[in-house]
Amino acid sequence: MSTSQRSDAPPSDDVRVLSVDDNGGWCWYQDERAAADAAQGIVLLGSVASSGGAEGARRGGDVNVSVVDLGAGTARTVTLHAGLESDDHDVPALWKRSDGRWVAVYTKHGADTLTRWRISEPEDPTVWGPERVFDWSTDLTHPADAEVAAANRTGATYQNIHELDGVLHCFVRSINLDPCVLVSHDDGESWEFGGRLLTRDTIAQSYVRYASGNRFGQDDRIDLIVTERHPRVHPTSIWHGYLSGGQLHRTDGTVVGPLGRRLAEATPAVEGLTQVLAHGAVDEGAVLTHCWTIDLRRGEDGTVVGIFSARVDDPYGRDYRERGEDLTAHRFLRGVLAPGAAEWVVRPLAEAGPELYYAEQDYTGLVSIDPDDLSALYLSTPIDPRDGSALARHGVFHGRTRDDGLTWDWRPLAVEAEAMNLRPIAVPGDPQRSIVAWLRGEFRTYTDYDTEIVLRVAPRA
């Protein structure tokens, strides 16, 4: 493992920790789930209330946006859709338009064919217009697309909004459970089918994380990391490619194929991209298997950083009967693609501990890269990254490397015995502040959790 250094320095008086909402949760395959508006001094946080949380009988399934006033230290939560589904996969993706309005896009967890969105008033994300929908079963205007959609499972899940060549792209898992894309030529006012990105011969979920540089004044490419399927059911590896100039590329720039493919057209499989981390790779004598994508960011200079997880020396794979009650060890890894490089450099980051609960063997506390400092990140784990000791519960740590990931300085942000602290989000949009949100409480399943949303704000050194 990488060398760690311990830091127990107390927090600065300028650091504030706020409780934003007493019932909220999120998955990690939607972005941006949180974003800051530096000019207004606010942070927006998307979340889904659980029926297992505070006032769950009344609030369970509410899709929410919390608006935090950083100056006043107050938060107001607005419900975009009441009682949609008690499922953290329904969390909205947020985008701020050029006219000061916010767009929020959200779906159910594959339970229907609708991608939903609402648009706020200018510079006022506490007031939202009516909900609109794109129906993946009826709004595919090309006859060949509609025919394919009718013959395949079309439930919509996840949403990730990015800009490419002046056009908004919203990536959604939909037809055949493949990554597809909606495009908007009017800044999110309306959406239309923009094509299928990747596919498989059978229905099999690929798990994609996307990153673009548009927040830094670039919109020339969108990077992605992806698995072949769910690691629970398949020996997954991590693959990379990027979208640019209307084409999908491998890491080295080789063109895989065009964007905007109709559903009936040939579409490449995940394995057509560049492999970054292989199922079965050996790291310091440990065999890494069932890899999963965690986070991805692209820096101003073109550097791309990704975070992955993998099982460590797992003898059972998919055989739950042999596994019994045993838990599975996991490890976080960090990959870096330097500007102009054709190969990733992947190094171990920290031990991730066992799964959050038995039925989801690959759920971990997660990691979030600082979008304004790619050498820094926030990590949730039940194993102290400073010395490898076991913690009573998952804690959140801030880490920074000064030597490309060979060593790390770790600082604990939230470590306590009475509650889990997990799923951190490093909030983009305000380069003058270090802003991170996480969930504190009890996480039982992705449909049943009792977690509050915590926000930590500090001046950036």
Side-chain angles (χ1 to χ4, degrees):
M1 294 297 297
S2 58
T3 303
S4 300
Q5 298 181 22
R6 188 179 186 96
S7 175
D8 295 293
S12 163
D13 293 339
D14 295 329
V15 176
R16 290 183 297 164
V17 179
L18 310 173
S19 178
V20 174
D21 194 327
D22 62 358
N23 187 346
W26 48 68
C27 179
W28 68 102
Y29 283 103
Q30 309 84 355
D31 273 328
E32 302 286 350
R33 288 157 289 158
D37 185 327
Q40 283 196 285
I42 61 173
V43 168
L44 271 65
L45 287 157
S47 66
V48 182
S50 171
S51 56
E55 299 182 282
R58 180 179 67 86
R59 297 170 58 190
D62 288 358
V63 178
N64 295 322
V65 171
S66 295
V67 182
V68 183
D69 185 322
L70 297 179
T74 58
R76 177 180 174 184
T77 297
V78 180
T79 298
L80 299 176
H81 191 124
L84 180 65
E85 191 179 40
S86 182
D87 191 315
D88 65 17
H89 293 64
D90 300 359
V91 63
L94 304 169
W95 177 268
K96 189 173 185 185
R97 302 181 357 167
S98 56
D99 63 0
R101 301 176 188 267
W102 289 84
V103 181
V105 183
Y106 47 99
T107 66
K108 285 188 172 183
H109 187 186
D112 64 26
T113 60
L114 304 180
T115 290
R116 302 161 169 88
W117 76 96
R118 294 181 67 176
I119 300 174
S120 78
E121 290 297 305
E123 308 298 344
D124 188 359
T126 66
V127 180
W128 294 80
E131 182 178 271
R132 312 178 201 182
V133 299
F134 178 92
D135 191 331
W136 289 86
S137 65
T138 61
D139 291 341
L140 303 173
T141 55
H142 194 283
D145 291 336
E147 183 178 348
V148 173
N152 288 271
R153 182 176 174 182
T154 58
T157 311
Y158 309 135
Q159 42 283 326
N160 290 266
I161 308 175
H162 295 269
E163 189 173 10
L164 181 64
D165 299 327
V167 177
L168 277 192
H169 291 63
C170 183
F171 298 94
V172 180
R173 193 179 79 189
S174 184
I175 311 298
N176 195 49
L177 300 187
D178 291 329
C180 300
V181 62
L182 299 175
V183 295
S184 175
H185 298 276
D186 51 17
D187 219 5
E189 196 72 28
S190 63
W191 297 92
E192 62 186 56
F193 178 61
R196 177 157 56 181
L197 193 61
L198 299 160
T199 193
R200 300 196 70 83
D201 294 336
T202 59
I203 292 177
Q205 306 102 310
S206 294
Y207 286 84
V208 195
R209 299 292 277 127
Y210 303 90
S212 57
N214 59 281
R215 295 294 185 188
F216 305 98
Q218 308 168 1
D219 68 345
D220 58 325
R221 69 185 256 178
I222 298 173
D223 286 83
L224 60 96
I225 51 175
V226 59
T227 63
E228 305 92 332
R229 298 180 68 181
H230 195 302
R232 184 183 59 234
V233 298
H234 189 80
T236 47
S237 300
I238 306 292
W239 306 79
H240 169 260
Y242 66 90
L243 314 175
S244 180
Q247 304 280 348
L248 174 62
H249 303 256
R250 291 170 55 88
T251 302
D252 63 4
T254 303
V255 173
V256 177
L259 302 183
R261 301 177 187 89
R262 314 311 313 183
L263 292 176
E265 295 175 347
T267 307
V270 169
E271 293 86 345
L273 303 179
T274 298
Q275 190 175 73
V276 178
L277 178 63
H279 172 89
V282 177
D283 175 49
E284 298 182 347
V287 179
L288 305 179
T289 60
H290 299 270
C291 309
W292 219 358
T293 51
I294 301 295
D295 198 18
L296 187 69
R297 287 290 181 184
R298 181 175 175 227
E300 188 173 8
D301 66 352
T303 300
V304 182
V305 176
I307 302 294
F308 327 117
S309 67
R311 301 182 198 173
V312 179
D313 291 332
D314 171 34
Y316 302 118
R318 291 177 287 170
D319 198 330
Y320 279 75
R321 292 170 297 180
E322 289 189 16
R323 179 183 166 210
E325 296 300 318
D326 291 349
L327 298 178
T328 307
H330 297 80
R331 182 170 296 169
F332 292 127
L333 300 103
R334 178 177 180 265
V336 177
L337 179 66
E343 295 183 359
W344 287 70
V345 175
V346 179
R347 294 191 172 102
L349 174 63
E351 299 300 333
E355 59 266 39
L356 296 186
Y357 63 98
Y358 181 80
E360 289 290 355
Q361 192 174 354
D362 301 283
Y363 273 27
T364 61
L366 302 182
V367 181
S368 184
I369 303 162
D370 187 333
D372 293 298
D373 180 4
L374 298 190
S375 66
L377 48 77
Y378 299 90
L379 176 148
S380 170
T381 177
I383 300 175
D384 195 322
R386 297 170 295 179
D387 57 16
S389 62
L391 303 172
R393 310 297 293 273
H394 278 73
V396 172
F397 293 81
H398 177 260
R400 173 174 283 112
T401 180
R402 294 173 172 81
D403 52 15
D404 296 326
L406 292 174
T407 62
W408 289 85
D409 297 320
W410 296 104
R411 181 185 300 273
L413 301 187
V415 178
E416 49 192 311
E418 64 272 19
M420 304 171 74
N421 291 273
L422 69 162
R423 295 192 167 179
I425 302 175
V427 181
D430 189 343
Q432 302 305 312
R433 295 184 173 102
S434 295
I435 307 175
V436 58
W438 66 86
L439 306 177
R440 179 187 184 276
E442 297 297 323
F443 186 91
R444 295 178 283 269
T445 73
Y446 62 79
T447 62
D448 180 15
Y449 43 91
D450 185 5
T451 51
E452 67 172 321
I453 299 172
V454 176
L455 186 73
R456 181 183 186 273
V457 184
R460 188 175 292 277

